[in-house]
Amino acid sequence: MKKLHAALLGAILLGGVAACSPLPTLNALSPGKSLRSGSALAYGENARHKLDVYSPEDNSVAAPVVVFFLGGNWTKGERDDYAFVGRALAARGIVAVIPDVRLYPEVRYPDFLDDSARALAWTVREIARYGGDPARLFVMGHSSGAYNAAMMALDPQWLAKQGMQPAALRGWIGLAGPYDFLPIENKTTQAVFHFPDTPPESQPIHHARAGTPPALLIAANNDQLVDPLRNTGAMAARLRGKGVAVQELHFDKVSHATLVASLAAPLRFLAPTLNTVEQFVKSDAGQLAPGTKPD
């Protein structure tokens, strides 16, 4: 088993979690294939407007819901590759929704944020059919997906288009998120965000304000792609300064890629990411004692 862990970790470190090869391996080694209760469900008219739902086996009580946005620099990524995330959350009693959104070059900023809001609006309307409680809704993402999650929680204009407000979210969870990345250095990201005319309001950190949902922000100390201090650290500090409840964690044994991979069963020895997310969600973003049910 240790050799398997080492081989899988090596593949992810070499190929990156957004690459195609390691993710099917993570999915194949993650238990809970029967937990997917809805596949390729349409939340809009575009071919990318599809999502999958993963539900706990015990549906006797409506479960909290996490909508997870995957990473990939707004240019790549498929929801099927992140089945291990859906299974992990569902196995812990959380309904997981994993949508695809449109990507560059089909769209640029801010169109993928409109898609993210539409996926959340679908979830509020439909998730009760899959055992979820729409009143206990969280949004979560990794890397560029964490950016999308942050913008849903912090900038009210996107949800407003769907007749919603950020207050509909009990909390948001960011894994290795880019929240303050101007000036943009990555050539691909420049194209996504209309460089050199990138609007300052595209940066989540500028939307940190009082009254936004509580946050769980997790980063890898060894992140070579998204500076954990400038992004996770600064966002946490800005939110705290506005009186927002924030849990901030920095893990040593993971990288940008393996932080999200540590949600999968074979790599949970790297960091307690899943346990931390579960506690945040089930405690209603830290506002309930463990085991207490919300009203």
Side-chain angles (χ1 to χ4, degrees), residues 4-20:
L4 178 60
H5 287 168
L8 181 56
L9 180 59
I12 293 173
L13 290 173
L14 290 173
V17 76
C20 293

Side-chain angles (χ1 to χ4, degrees), residues 230-254:
R230 179 181 177 183
N231 290 275
T232 294
M235 174 62 86
R238 185 74 62 90
L239 289 170
R240 288 193 196 101
K242 301 293 183 179
V244 177
V246 180
Q247 296 181 40
E248 177 189 1
L249 294 170
H250 295 253
F251 294 144
D252 289 328
K253 296 181 181 180
V254 288

Side-chain angles (χ1 to χ4, degrees), residues 76-162:
K76 57 190 173 184
E78 304 292 336
R79 66 186 187 280
D80 283 348
D81 290 336
Y82 290 82
F84 68 91
V85 175
R87 294 174 188 168
L89 293 172
R92 297 295 180 93
I94 299 166
V95 173
V97 178
I98 304 182
D100 284 332
V101 300
R102 290 173 295 168
L103 302 171
Y104 177 83
E106 180 182 1
V107 299
R108 302 185 186 200
Y109 168 87
D111 295 329
F112 42 79
L113 296 178
D114 283 323
D115 292 353
S116 300
R118 293 183 73 171
L120 282 171
W122 181 96
T123 301
V124 170
R125 292 193 308 267
E126 304 291 342
I127 204 61
R129 299 170 53 193
Y130 300 91
D133 182 353
R136 300 173 66 195
L137 176 64
F138 295 78
V139 65
M140 174 180 172
H142 170 249
S143 194
S144 58
Y147 169 95
N148 293 3
M151 292 296 271
M152 295 300 101
L154 302 179
D155 186 354
Q157 66 172 306
W158 312 113
L159 289 180
K161 294 181 181 181
Q162 303 297 323

